[in-house]
Amino acid sequence: MAQLNFGGVVENVVTREEFPLSKALDVLKDETIAIIGYGVQGPGQSMNLRDNGFNVIIGQRKDSKTWDKAIADGWVPGQTLFEIEEACEHTTIIQYLLSDAAQIAVWPQIKKHLTPGKALYFSHGFGVTYKERTGIVPPADVDVILVAPKGSGTSLRRLFLEGRGLNSSYAIFQDATGRAYDRVIALGIGVGSGYLFETDFKREVFSDLTGERGTLMGAIQGIFAAQYQVLRDNGHTPSEAFNETVEELTQSLMPLVAENGMDWMSAKCSTTAQRGALDWWRPFRDATLPVFQKLYAEVASGEEAQRSIDTNSKPDYREGLEAELKELRESEIWQAGATVRSLRPERNK
């Protein structure tokens, strides 16, 4: 394990150089991994593990769209694809990758198969952290571990196929066997992590919920919508407003920020842009800081988790979700976006 020092804050990280794939395969050579759920993270993690040479099976509800997707991805019913409980019977490691709401509903079926010495793996600390609300309390004689890729399952798979990796956090909630560390790092390497940094279940879910609602999705959509509206209200065309709000950021600037950092980006832009960025970032910080503070407080209190549980457990949740997504999809900014994306050169090759 290596250590990174960030101005006096020391973090533990594990790289593929110090824990290579060959070691991960050796650690798990006698284990079978069951991926429970084939929605967001399931496909990417399971196919990466399979391609890396691990023993993997899928547990999924039969006759569902995701069951059919698993078959299309090469999983074979009765051999590597099973109903959820049957998959749990044939495994030593259960990767519990259902949605948070589905984890609550299916937990009684999973718990009865958590016999001593097995490992229960999460990619999100939600169920365990908010156990008073979810009822997910693992038995004391199993390892409880977490690997949380910092991106979607689609990105995890895409980067794996490109020979790259997506950074992941890892955590150990419970070490019943004395092997939890080796198991979690081996699985982290197996699913395609670029490197792994240490966290715990509570910090993972607090940062994840804040990030999703903040700069990763919620805040960025809000900022996009506000700037786009100001430009349109002042006579700019949809194409110009979208290009200045979204397209230039996502297609040109953010890849450079990802490669080199915001300081490098600010140093390389025009002096006019430079001056504006340096003058305006603090007002934006000051305006949004109270919102982020309120967001984090509600995540930490469990209020945000309860809202998610209540909403996502409703029988008509899918219908309500589709109505909200339809409103977003049909808004002018994202209609303009669809048109602009269709004009990108690679679409016309």
Side-chain angles (χ1 to χ4, degrees), residues 137-159:
V137 181
D141 50 11
V142 301
D143 292 341
V144 182
I145 55 181
L146 174 147
V147 173
K150 297 299 104 181
S152 68
T154 301
S155 298
L156 184 72
R157 181 62 176 167
R158 175 175 55 80
L159 291 173

Side-chain angles (χ1 to χ4, degrees), residues 122-134:
F122 294 88
S123 282
H124 191 28
F126 190 100
V128 170
T129 299
Y130 300 115
K131 58 183 180 295
E132 294 84 1
R133 301 169 186 268
T134 65

Side-chain angles (χ1 to χ4, degrees), residues 14 21 27 54 72 86 92 126 138 214 221 260 266 294 300 306 313:
V14 182
L21 178 60
V27 166
F54 294 87
E86 188 176 2
T92 56
F126 190 100
Q221 165 61 20
N260 304 290
S266 297
K294 181 176 186 292
Q306 192 62 53
S313 299

Side-chain angles (χ1 to χ4, degrees), residues 325-336:
L325 293 176
K326 182 173 183 287
E327 180 184 1
L328 198 62
R329 184 168 59 247
E330 294 181 356
S331 63
E332 188 186 271
I333 181 174
W334 295 113
Q335 288 291 302

Side-chain angles (χ1 to χ4, degrees), residues 51-74:
D51 290 355
N52 272 333
F54 294 87
N55 300 316
V56 189
I57 61 175
I58 305 297
Q60 181 57 42
R61 185 169 56 86
K62 198 173 183 180
D63 300 324
S64 62
K65 290 181 180 179
T66 43
W67 176 277
D68 295 338
K69 174 173 170 48
I71 293 174
D73 287 340

Side-chain angles (χ1 to χ4, degrees), residues 192-303:
S193 302
Y195 75 85
L196 295 139
F197 61 93
E198 188 177 24
T199 188
D200 60 41
F201 274 56
K202 182 181 288 188
R203 283 191 288 137
E204 188 283 328
V205 74
F206 284 11
S207 61
D208 189 72
L209 292 184
T210 300
E212 289 171 347
R213 286 146 181 78
T215 59
L216 301 180
M217 297 181 71
I220 199 69
Q221 165 61 20
I223 291 170
F224 283 162
Q227 179 171 304
Y228 182 88
Q229 180 179 327
V230 167
L231 291 173
R232 291 288 288 122
D233 288 348
N234 283 277
H236 298 271
T237 65
S239 177
E240 184 171 52
F242 185 86
N243 272 283
E244 290 296 341
T245 300
V246 179
E247 190 77 352
E248 185 174 354
L249 173 69
T250 57
Q251 296 301 299
S252 175
L253 302 185
M254 288 314 294
L256 293 175
V257 172
E259 291 174 13
N260 304 290
M262 199 69 204
D263 55 333
W264 182 92
M265 187 72 252
S266 297
K268 296 296 181 182
C269 63
S270 72
T271 55
T272 302
Q274 200 174 74
R275 187 67 266 144
L278 293 172
D279 287 346
W280 278 93
W281 77 264
R282 287 182 180 85
F284 277 109
R285 178 200 60 191
D286 296 343
T288 58
L289 184 59
V291 180
F292 279 99
Q293 289 170 330
K294 181 176 186 292
L295 166 59
Y296 192 88
E298 295 195 9
V299 168
S301 72
E303 292 178 34

Side-chain angles (χ1 to χ4, degrees), residues 5-44:
N5 192 319
F6 297 93
V9 178
V10 177
E11 292 191 30
N12 294 324
V13 300
V14 182
T15 68
R16 291 190 285 194
E17 286 70 31
E18 60 188 293
F19 204 112
L21 178 60
S22 58
K23 182 176 179 178
L25 287 165
D26 186 61
V27 166
L28 301 179
K29 65 180 184 296
D30 297 321
E31 307 243 31
T32 298
I33 304 160
I35 307 289
I36 307 302
Y38 207 74
V40 177
Q41 283 287 335

